[in-house]
Amino acid sequence: QKEVEQDPGPLSVPEGAIVSLNCTYSNSAFQYFMWYRQYSRKGPELLMYTYSSGNKEDGRFTAQVDKSSKYISLFIRDSQPSDSATYLCAMMSYNQGGKLIFGQGTELSVKP
Amino acid sequence: NAGVTQTPKFQVLKTGQSMTLQCAQDMNHNSMYWYRQDPGMGLRLIYYSASEGTTDKGEVPNGYNVSRLNKREFSLRLESAAPSQTSVYFCASSEVPARAYEQYFGPGTRLTVT
């Protein structure tokens, strides 16, 4: 079993829809939870990170962490065609030397 | 500010050939990382360097070596390429290991081994 599981999709939604992306994990030592966005043939870029549990909002993006269920989510409101990309969740435990463990990535397509 | 740069962008190797992938960052970061990305596998850490002068193995180090040449540069070497090493390779950097959650990635090197 992988430490971090993510549904690879692909996920296709109409413009303006609310998108929900999710990851589950098995290592309870993870403390930092990240979402990276990767456009086609580009390197990933950090979208948001959350420390421990709770919610974090940044514009149209909301990240949620539920440590009791070992489940994290990224919500995108009013999705735009420019949001079409692969979204990678990643997790980190500080006592593991800062190494990131990535999910497989979910490919999202927002249709105009 | 170029951020993280990688050379080459594309490479085709024959089985058994060797090559070095180059990475440089201009953000004065202490920590640097090498990943490979394969379909359905996400990003997997090959090697990382927490600071200049140190390197350590990641999840999939077999078949690779690294050199932290100085604070700016971190190279990845394939001594005897195998078809299983066909992948997209990304270099990344972070300010310090404790801020590894915020990594900056290069554009990647697409490597095919025939």
Side-chain angles (χ1 to χ4, degrees):
Chain A
Q1 184 191 2
K2 292 182 181 178
E3 276 190 285
V4 179
E5 297 275 5
Q6 184 176 7
D7 186 340
L11 182 62
S12 182
V13 301
E15 183 176 353
I18 296 174
V19 176
S20 172
L21 304 168
N22 312 294
C23 289
T24 58
Y25 63 96
S26 57
N27 187 346
S28 57
F30 288 139
Q31 298 159 306
Y32 289 88
F33 303 90
M34 287 71 71
W35 286 96
Y36 279 79
R37 178 175 61 195
Q38 184 177 23
Y39 290 114
S40 181
R41 296 188 169 258
K42 302 286 187 186
E45 57 178 345
L46 180 66
L47 198 56
M48 299 177 72
Y49 78 91
T50 308
Y51 176 73
S52 194
S53 281
N55 293 0
K56 189 171 186 178
E57 191 172 316
D58 183 1
R60 296 183 295 110
F61 299 88
T62 300
Q64 281 186 355
V65 175
D66 182 347
K67 292 192 80 175
S68 61
S69 302
K70 296 191 177 69
Y71 189 87
I72 71 169
S73 301
L74 177 71
F75 297 96
I76 307 174
R77 291 185 300 281
D78 187 24
S79 55
Q80 302 295 309
S82 58
D83 296 327
S84 297
T86 296
Y87 290 80
L88 299 142
C89 64
M91 306 186 187
M92 181 179 110
S93 166
Y94 182 73
N95 62 10
Q96 289 179 338
K99 289 182 268 192
L100 298 191
I101 306 296
F102 282 86
Q104 299 95 313
T106 300
E107 186 182 345
L108 172 68
S109 177
V110 182
K111 304 292 187 188
Chain B
N1 252 14
V4 178
T5 56
Q6 292 182 237
T7 55
K9 286 187 169 47
F10 303 93
Q11 185 71 49
V12 179
L13 289 178
K14 293 189 189 316
T15 298
Q17 288 185 319
S18 62
M19 79 162 294
T20 300
L21 282 64
Q22 306 286 356
C23 173
Q25 52 88 12
D26 63 1
M27 295 174 282
N28 201 34
H29 284 174
N30 288 287
S31 305
M32 298 185 73
Y33 312 83
W34 275 106
Y35 293 91
R36 59 178 290 172
Q37 186 173 36
D38 303 293
M41 300 293 288
L43 284 154
R44 292 182 293 168
L45 183 66
I46 304 171
Y47 269 94
Y48 70 103
S49 172
S51 61
E52 187 178 354
T54 69
T55 60
D56 211 342
K57 294 178 181 178
E59 186 184 350
V60 288
N62 290 346
Y64 305 95
N65 284 303
V66 290
S67 294
R68 184 73 184 266
L69 304 169
N70 48 54
K71 191 172 184 179
R72 289 188 63 245
E73 299 172 288
F74 188 38
S75 63
L76 178 72
R77 183 159 178 85
L78 286 70
E79 291 290 352
S80 179
S84 60
Q85 293 179 305
T86 293
S87 188
V88 182
Y89 291 86
F90 288 101
C91 177
S93 69
S94 69
E95 191 178 340
V96 290
R99 290 186 63 88
Y101 53 82
E102 187 173 4
Q103 292 189 18
Y104 293 81
F105 284 80
T109 294
R110 292 182 177 273
L111 175 67
T112 301
V113 183
T114 61

